[in-house]
Amino acid sequence: GGGGGRSSAMTPAEEPLPPGVPTCPLPGKICDVARKERPGSCCGMAMAGLRTAKYQLPEWHRRNAKVYNQAYTVGEESERDCAESKHLSKHAACCAQRAQQYSKATLGQRLQDIHFWRVELQKEIMELDAETNLLVAQKLRLQRALDATEVPYGIVTDNLQCRERRQPPDLVIDEVERQLLKEADLLRNIRDLLKRTIIQATNQIRSNRIQKECCELDWSDKVQTYHIDDKCVGYNNDSTNIQAHPSSVKFEENASTPKTWAQFSHDNIYNAEQEKLASVQLRSLINTIIHDVSEDLRMQRAASNEAFDNHCRELDDAKLKLEQHLEKILKDIGEQEANIVALKQAIRDKETHLKVAQTRLYDRSFRPNVELCKDEAQFRLVSEVEELTVFLEALKRKLMESEQCLKNLEETRMKLEKEIAVKANSIFIDREKCMTFRIRYPVDLEVASYK
C-alpha cells in the first residue's frame, strides 16, 4: 500500500515497468473507497497512478540510492554555492569599499580643482571690481575737468563778444583776437576729447562689469558645485539621507568635459585680465589726457593774457600820445583864436585909418577952383589909401586862412577826442571787461578734476 502511494508522485518516464507484468487499462469506473478502508491489494491508492503492480526490492534499493545521491549532490552544490556566495560577497564588499574610497578621493580632488578655480575667480572678481572703481573715479575726473572747461569757454566767448563792441578803427583782428580764437578752438577740441574719452571710459566700465558678472556667475556655479560635491564626499553607508536613484546613472547630453570645464573658467579669467589691462591703460591715458589738456590750456591762457597785456600797453601808449597831441592842439587852438582876434582888431584899425584917409580925400574934393590942386598932400593921401587897401586885403586873407586853420584845428581836436574815446573804450573792454573777467579762469584743469 505504501509503494502505491509513492508511485503516484513520480512521472511515468522515471519509473521502469516491472518485468513480465502486462499493463492493463484503468477501469471505466472507479469505486469510492472509504479512507479507513485501506485495501491490501492492488486496488486503492495504487490504482490512482499508472502503475498497478508493487515495486520490486532491487528497484526500491536503486531508488533509495538515487535519492541519497541526489541529496548528496544537492548538499555539495549548496555548500559550494554558499562558499561562492561568501567569496563573492567578500569580493563585492572589498570592490565596493575600494570603489567608494576611490570615488571619494576623486571627489576630493575635484573639490580641490573647484576650490582652485573658485579662488582664482574670486581674486579676479575683486581685482576687476577694484579696477572698475578706479576707472569710475577717473571718469569722474574727466567729468569734472569737462565741467571746469565751461567757465573758460564762457570767458573766451564773452571776451570775443565784448571785443566786437570795439569802435572803428580799433575793431581790428589783432593778436589778442587771434589768441582768443585759438583759445576758443582749443577749448572746443578739449571738450570734444574729454567727451569722447568719457564715452570710452563708460564703455570700458560696462565691459568690466559684464566680464565681472560672467566671472561672478562662474564663481557662483562653482560655489554651488563645491557645496554639492562636499556633501557627496560626506556620504557613507551609515548616512541617513541616501536613497536609490536608478535614473541618475547617465551622462547629460549638454555636460561639459574636464577640459572644456577648465577652459571655460580659464577663458573667463583671461577675458577679465584683458578687460583689466585695457582699463589700466585707459586710466593711464586719462591721466595723460587731463595733464596734457591742462598744460595746453594753461599755456594758451598765458599767451592770451600776454597778448592782452601787450595790447593794453599799446592802447595806453596810443591814448597817451593822442592826449599829448590833443593838449598841443588845444594850445594851438587857443593861440589861433587869439591870433584871429588880433587880426580882426588889426583889420578894424586899418579900416579906421582908411576911413580917415578917405574922409580927408573926400573933404579935399570940395576945395574951390584952383585950390583943387594935386599937391603933395593929395598924392600922399591917395598913396595912403592904396597902401591901407592892400594891407586890409592881406589881413582879410590872413584872417580867412587863420579861421580855416582854426577850423582844421577844431576838426583835429574832435578827431583826437574821438580817437581818445575809442582808445578809452578799447582799454575799458580789454582791461575792465575782458582781463578782469579772466581772473575767474580756473587755475588748472588737472587740479579742478580732483575737486
Side-chain angles (χ1 to χ4, degrees):
R6 286 191 300 269
S7 65
S8 63
M10 301 295 292
T11 60
E14 293 177 350
E15 297 177 349
L17 297 175
V21 181
T23 59
C24 60
L26 291 173
K29 183 178 179 180
I30 298 176
C31 297
D32 293 330
V33 180
R35 288 182 176 271
K36 62 181 181 178
E37 296 177 358
R38 295 180 59 88
S41 62
C42 61
C43 61
M45 292 299 294
M47 296 174 65
L50 298 177
R51 292 192 57 173
T52 59
K54 291 183 179 180
Y55 285 98
Q56 298 297 321
L57 185 63
E59 183 182 1
W60 181 79
H61 285 296
R62 285 195 303 272
R63 181 173 178 78
N64 287 339
K66 184 178 180 181
V67 170
Y68 295 152
N69 289 334
Q70 286 180 350
Y72 181 77
T73 302
V74 169
E76 283 185 344
E77 288 179 355
S78 176
E79 289 177 1
R80 187 168 56 252
D81 184 69
C82 288
E84 289 177 356
S85 296
K86 288 180 181 179
H87 177 73
L88 179 61
S89 297
K90 186 177 179 180
H91 179 68
C94 291
C95 290
Q97 184 67 22
R98 189 164 52 250
Q100 191 179 81
Q101 292 297 326
Y102 183 71
S103 296
K104 185 175 181 179
T106 306
L107 285 171
Q109 182 61 43
R110 184 64 174 173
L111 283 175
Q112 292 181 4
D113 295 343
I114 294 172
H115 178 71
F116 169 77
W117 286 112
R118 184 182 67 176
V119 171
E120 291 296 317
L121 284 167
Q122 187 172 5
K123 177 184 174 184
E124 197 63 35
I125 289 168
M126 294 175 64
E127 290 180 357
L128 190 57
D129 185 60
E131 175 59 34
T132 303
N133 291 335
L134 292 175
L135 186 57
V136 169
Q138 288 292 78
K139 179 189 171 185
L140 183 59
R141 286 189 63 205
L142 284 172
Q143 190 62 52
R144 286 171 178 165
L146 178 62
D147 294 339
T149 59
E150 292 181 1
V151 173
Y153 190 71
I155 290 173
V156 173
T157 304
D158 183 77
N159 289 165
L160 290 170
Q161 290 175 351
C162 286
R163 298 189 94 244
E164 289 296 322
R165 295 196 293 270
R166 292 176 298 167
Q167 299 173 358
D170 281 6
L171 189 61
V172 295
I173 303 177
D174 52 7
E175 182 64 20
V176 176
E177 185 159 349
R178 281 192 289 270
Q179 293 298 334
L180 286 176
L181 290 173
K182 284 177 62 178
E183 189 173 349
D185 188 57
L186 175 63
L187 279 166
R188 280 191 292 269
N189 292 335
I190 288 175
R191 288 175 64 83
D192 291 341
L193 176 60
L194 292 177
K195 288 177 182 178
R196 291 197 305 270
T197 311
I198 287 174
I199 293 174
Q200 188 177 354
T202 302
N203 293 334
Q204 185 61 51
I205 289 170
R206 185 185 300 112
S207 298
N208 287 358
R209 287 174 175 166
I210 290 173
Q211 192 57 45
K212 174 173 170 279
E213 184 178 358
C214 291
C215 291
E216 285 175 340
L217 290 174
D218 192 4
W219 176 86
S220 177
D221 291 344
K222 282 180 171 49
V223 169
Q224 186 178 358
T225 304
Y226 186 88
H227 290 322
I228 292 173
D229 284 354
D230 187 54
K231 184 171 68 172
C232 291
V233 168
Y235 287 142
N236 54 52
N237 294 338
D238 297 328
S239 299
T240 59
N241 54 346
I242 58 175
Q243 56 183 338
H245 295 282
S247 62
S248 64
V249 186
K250 62 179 181 179
F251 288 104
E252 299 292 339
E253 294 182 359
N254 57 347
S256 62
T257 65
K259 184 177 180 181
T260 59
W261 175 82
Q263 188 65 37
F264 180 76
S265 296
H266 177 272
D267 291 343
N268 282 334
I269 292 175
Y270 176 78
N271 293 334
E273 284 290 332
Q274 293 299 111
E275 295 297 342
K276 187 171 66 175
L277 179 61
S279 181
V280 170
Q281 293 175 347
L282 181 58
R283 283 196 297 112
S284 176
L285 177 63
I286 289 172
N287 282 332
T288 303
I289 287 174
I290 292 178
H291 177 270
D292 290 347
V293 299
S294 177
E295 189 66 18
D296 292 343
L297 190 58
R298 185 190 63 80
M299 293 177 63
Q300 184 55 46
R301 176 197 177 195
S304 299
N305 288 345
E306 183 180 2
F308 266 115
D309 290 334
N310 293 335
H311 189 60
C312 285
R313 281 197 297 270
E314 292 175 356
L315 288 173
D316 287 335
D317 292 341
K319 182 172 175 286
L320 179 61
K321 290 178 181 178
L322 289 172
E323 288 173 346
Q324 291 173 349
H325 281 294
L326 178 62
E327 184 179 358
K328 184 176 183 301
I329 290 297
L330 290 175
K331 183 179 178 182
D332 291 343
I333 287 174
E335 292 176 352
Q336 193 62 253
E337 287 176 344
N339 179 48
I340 290 173
V341 170
L343 284 173
K344 288 181 178 179
Q345 185 62 41
I347 289 172
R348 285 194 297 271
D349 291 343
K350 298 302 178 288
E351 287 177 345
T352 304
H353 284 84
L354 182 58
K355 288 178 183 179
V356 171
Q358 288 176 344
T359 302
R360 286 174 177 174
L361 285 173
Y362 178 75
D363 287 344
R364 293 194 74 200
S365 65
F366 291 103
R367 289 178 296 171
N369 301 319
V370 178
E371 293 302 323
L372 190 62
C373 178
K374 297 180 181 179
D375 53 7
E376 185 64 26
Q378 187 71 17
F379 282 110
R380 185 59 209 162
L381 285 171
V382 171
S383 177
E384 182 182 359
V385 170
E386 291 176 353
E387 289 178 2
L388 288 172
T389 302
V390 171
F391 281 122
L392 278 171
E393 290 177 356
L395 288 172
K396 287 179 180 179
R397 284 197 304 272
K398 179 56 68 178
L399 177 61
M400 290 178 62
E401 293 175 0
S402 297
E403 287 177 345
Q404 184 61 41
C405 184
L406 179 62
K407 183 179 179 182
N408 293 338
L409 288 172
E410 290 291 346
E411 291 177 355
T412 302
R413 177 184 66 82
M414 292 177 62
K415 289 180 180 179
L416 288 174
E417 288 176 346
K418 184 178 179 181
E419 285 294 324
I420 291 172
V422 169
K423 295 295 183 291
N425 180 64
S426 299
I427 292 172
F428 175 78
I429 289 173
D430 284 354
R431 180 168 291 155
E432 302 300 328
K433 287 288 186 180
C434 295
M435 295 185 70
T436 303
F437 196 32
R438 290 178 70 82
I439 296 175
R440 297 173 54 191
Y441 218 99
V443 178
D444 195 291
L445 285 184
E446 191 168 10
V447 175
S449 67
Y450 287 106
K451 293 181 180 179

